[in-house]
Coordinates of all heavy atoms in Angstrom, one line a residue:
Q802 N 0.4 -164.9 79.5 CA 0.6 -164.7 80.9 C 1.2 -163.3 81.1 O 1.9 -162.8 80.2 CB 1.5 -165.7 81.6 CG 0.9 -167.1 81.6 CD -0.4 -167.2 82.5 OE1 -0.5 -166.5 83.5 NE2 -1.4 -167.9 82.0
P803 N 0.9 -162.6 82.2 CA 1.4 -161.2 82.4 C 2.9 -161.2 82.2 O 3.7 -162.0 82.8 CB 1.0 -160.9 83.8 CG -0.2 -161.7 84.1 CD 0.0 -163.0 83.3
W840 N -1.1 -153.0 84.6 CA -0.4 -153.6 85.8 C 0.5 -154.7 85.5 O 1.1 -155.4 86.3 CB -1.4 -154.0 86.8 CG -2.6 -154.8 86.2 CD1 -3.8 -154.4 85.9 CD2 -2.5 -156.2 85.9 NE1 -4.6 -155.4 85.4 CE2 -3.8 -156.5 85.4 CE3 -1.6 -157.2 86.0 CZ2 -4.1 -157.9 84.9 CZ3 -1.9 -158.5 85.6 CH2 -3.2 -158.8 85.0
E841 N 0.6 -155.1 84.2 CA 1.3 -156.3 83.8 C 2.7 -156.4 84.2 O 3.3 -157.4 84.5 CB 1.1 -156.5 82.3 CG 1.4 -157.8 81.8 CD 1.1 -158.0 80.3 OE1 0.3 -157.2 79.8 OE2 1.6 -159.0 79.7
L842 N 3.5 -155.2 84.3 CA 4.9 -155.3 84.6 C 5.2 -155.0 86.1 O 6.4 -154.9 86.5 CB 5.6 -154.2 83.7 CG 5.6 -154.4 82.2 CD1 6.3 -153.3 81.4 CD2 6.2 -155.8 81.8
F843 N 4.2 -154.9 86.9 CA 4.4 -154.7 88.3 C 4.6 -156.0 89.1 O 4.2 -157.0 88.6 CB 3.2 -153.9 89.0 CG 3.0 -152.5 88.4 CD1 1.8 -151.9 88.5 CD2 4.0 -151.8 87.8 CE1 1.6 -150.6 88.1 CE2 3.9 -150.6 87.3 CZ 2.6 -150.0 87.4
S844 N 5.2 -155.8 90.3 CA 5.4 -157.0 91.2 C 4.1 -157.2 91.9 O 3.1 -156.5 91.7 CB 6.4 -156.7 92.3 OG 6.0 -155.6 93.1
E845 N 4.0 -158.3 92.7 CA 2.7 -158.7 93.2 C 2.2 -157.6 94.2 O 1.0 -157.3 94.2 CB 2.9 -160.0 94.0 CG 3.1 -161.2 93.1 CD 1.8 -161.6 92.4 OE1 0.7 -161.2 92.8 OE2 1.9 -162.2 91.3
E846 N 3.1 -157.1 95.0 CA 2.7 -156.0 95.9 C 2.3 -154.8 95.2 O 1.3 -154.1 95.5 CB 3.9 -155.7 96.9 CG 4.3 -156.9 97.8 CD 5.4 -156.5 98.7 OE1 6.0 -155.4 98.5 OE2 5.8 -157.3 99.5
E847 N 3.1 -154.4 94.1 CA 2.7 -153.2 93.3 C 1.4 -153.4 92.6 O 0.6 -152.4 92.5 CB 3.8 -152.9 92.3 CG 5.1 -152.5 93.0 CD 6.3 -152.4 92.0 OE1 6.2 -153.0 90.9 OE2 7.2 -151.6 92.2
R848 N 1.1 -154.6 92.3 CA -0.2 -154.9 91.6 C -1.4 -154.6 92.5 O -2.4 -154.1 92.2 CB -0.2 -156.3 91.0 CG 0.7 -156.5 89.9 CD 0.7 -158.0 89.5 NE 1.7 -158.3 88.5 CZ 2.0 -159.5 88.1 NH1 1.3 -160.6 88.6 NH2 3.0 -159.7 87.2
E849 N -1.2 -155.1 93.8 CA -2.3 -154.9 94.8 C -2.5 -153.5 95.1 O -3.7 -153.0 95.2 CB -1.9 -155.7 96.1 CG -1.8 -157.2 95.9 CD -3.2 -157.8 95.6 OE1 -4.2 -157.2 95.9 OE2 -3.2 -158.8 94.8
I850 N -1.4 -152.7 95.2 CA -1.5 -151.3 95.5 C -2.2 -150.6 94.3 O -3.0 -149.7 94.4 CB -0.1 -150.6 95.8 CG1 0.4 -151.2 97.1 CG2 -0.2 -149.1 95.9 CD1 1.9 -150.8 97.4
Q851 N -1.7 -151.0 93.1 CA -2.2 -150.4 91.8 C -3.7 -150.7 91.7 O -4.5 -149.8 91.2 CB -1.5 -150.9 90.6 CG -1.9 -150.3 89.3 CD -1.5 -148.9 89.2 OE1 -0.6 -148.3 89.9 NE2 -2.2 -148.1 88.3
K852 N -4.1 -151.9 92.1 CA -5.5 -152.3 92.0 C -6.4 -151.4 92.9 O -7.5 -151.0 92.6 CB -5.7 -153.7 92.3 CG -5.2 -154.7 91.2 CD -5.4 -156.1 91.6 CE -4.8 -157.1 90.6 NZ -5.0 -158.5 91.0
A853 N -5.8 -151.2 94.1 CA -6.6 -150.4 95.1 C -6.6 -149.0 94.8 O -7.6 -148.3 94.9 CB -6.0 -150.7 96.5

Side-chain angles (χ1 to χ4, degrees):
Q802 293 297 320
W840 46 261
E841 194 172 343
L842 297 179
F843 295 159
S844 64
E845 289 291 336
E846 295 179 356
E847 292 173 335
R848 291 175 187 172
E849 293 297 330
I850 296 172
Q851 182 70 18
K852 290 180 181 178

